[in-house]
Amino acid sequence: MSQMQSVEKQLRQMILGLEIGPGEKLTERWIESRFGASRTPVRAALLRLETEGLVGRDGRGWTVSPINLAELEQIAVYREAVEVAALRLTCTLADRSAVDVIEAMLDSCDTDTPREEWHRIGMDFHIELARLSGNEFLFRAVRDAMTRLSRARWLEVRDEAALARAWAEHRAILAAARLGDADQAARLLSAHIVGSRDRLVTSLANDRRGLRARGFAVIAA
């Protein structure tokens, strides 16, 4: 792994895990010192993260992108289109036994499981379900969309009721996919994505003052 790739990977993890908060200022000099890297790979890493929408230029420095409520709405529309398309393809497969592997991922979470793992598996559920379709473009689209949602979803996993609801909905989607019932699976997935979006946007909008107190920037547009 090159120095640029190493800096990019570690910075992405820190941003997505909210170790570096939305709206926080970044300087190339701080990143150089933090990761023991030289300026050229640091700048290249920042440019790559900029294309993902995780950071933006701020004068001579950089700022971690705020959580954008309007963007969350737009991503949900995009997700519904690509995830439902991928799921319908999966339901046409002669062998749908790989659905059991995804269910085993859900089963691995219990009351002793760290919130970080709940978050990862909740993301992986959607990504791996899209992978089963066999369509590389749909898989990449879902993976990229889930990456953009990662920070906002991380805030959601604080709510145990929301986690329980999400897991129940995940299992219902898998049950329909296992039976090859494309219409039912699509309805359940659409409802899950829309419901998750509505709850997440409402929660973030209502908690904007508290999030700002923690140094997190949340904007409406």
Side-chain angles (χ1 to χ4, degrees), residues 36-53:
S38 55
R39 175 156 297 184
T40 298
V42 164
R43 187 162 297 170
L46 286 166
L47 289 171
R48 288 173 66 96
L49 294 174
E50 184 181 30
T51 66
E52 296 179 21

Side-chain angles (χ1 to χ4, degrees), residues 90-93 96 99 172-182 184-185:
T90 297
C91 288
T92 67
L93 298 175
R96 298 183 295 276
V99 167
I173 293 164
L174 292 180
R178 187 181 289 108
L179 293 173
D181 189 339
Q184 175 68 353

Side-chain angles (χ1 to χ4, degrees), residues 23-75:
E24 191 167 334
K25 305 290 187 182
L26 292 173
T27 65
E28 293 178 10
R29 181 166 296 181
W30 177 84
I31 297 170
E32 292 167 19
S33 174
R34 177 69 172 74
F35 299 111
S38 55
R39 175 156 297 184
T40 298
V42 164
R43 187 162 297 170
L46 286 166
L47 289 171
R48 288 173 66 96
L49 294 174
E50 184 181 30
T51 66
E52 296 179 21
L54 293 178
V55 301
R57 299 169 194 260
D58 183 13
R60 293 189 176 185
W62 298 79
T63 301
V64 176
S65 299
I67 292 176
N68 188 321
L69 300 182
E71 181 182 86
L72 297 182
E73 298 268 8
Q74 294 168 12
I75 290 175

Side-chain angles (χ1 to χ4, degrees), residues 87-158:
L87 184 56
R88 284 189 175 278
L89 286 177
T90 297
C91 288
T92 67
L93 298 175
D95 180 7
R96 298 183 295 276
S97 59
V99 167
D100 295 337
V101 176
I102 299 178
E103 186 151 36
M105 286 169 37
L106 300 179
D107 291 340
S108 70
C109 288
D110 57 29
T111 54
D112 295 325
T113 303
R115 280 290 180 265
E116 293 89 343
E117 189 69 3
W118 281 92
H119 176 261
R120 184 187 67 79
I121 291 177
M123 300 276 288
D124 285 351
F125 168 84
H126 292 275
I127 295 169
E128 295 306 317
L129 193 58
R131 191 197 298 271
L132 294 186
S133 71
N135 187 301
E136 186 69 15
F137 291 94
L138 290 173
F139 161 67
R140 290 179 183 176
V142 173
R143 181 191 61 193
D144 293 347
M146 297 308 295
T147 296
R148 292 293 289 263
L149 279 175
S150 181
R151 293 182 301 163
R153 286 175 61 89
W154 177 250
L155 294 171
E156 187 182 30
V157 299
R158 299 174 299 170

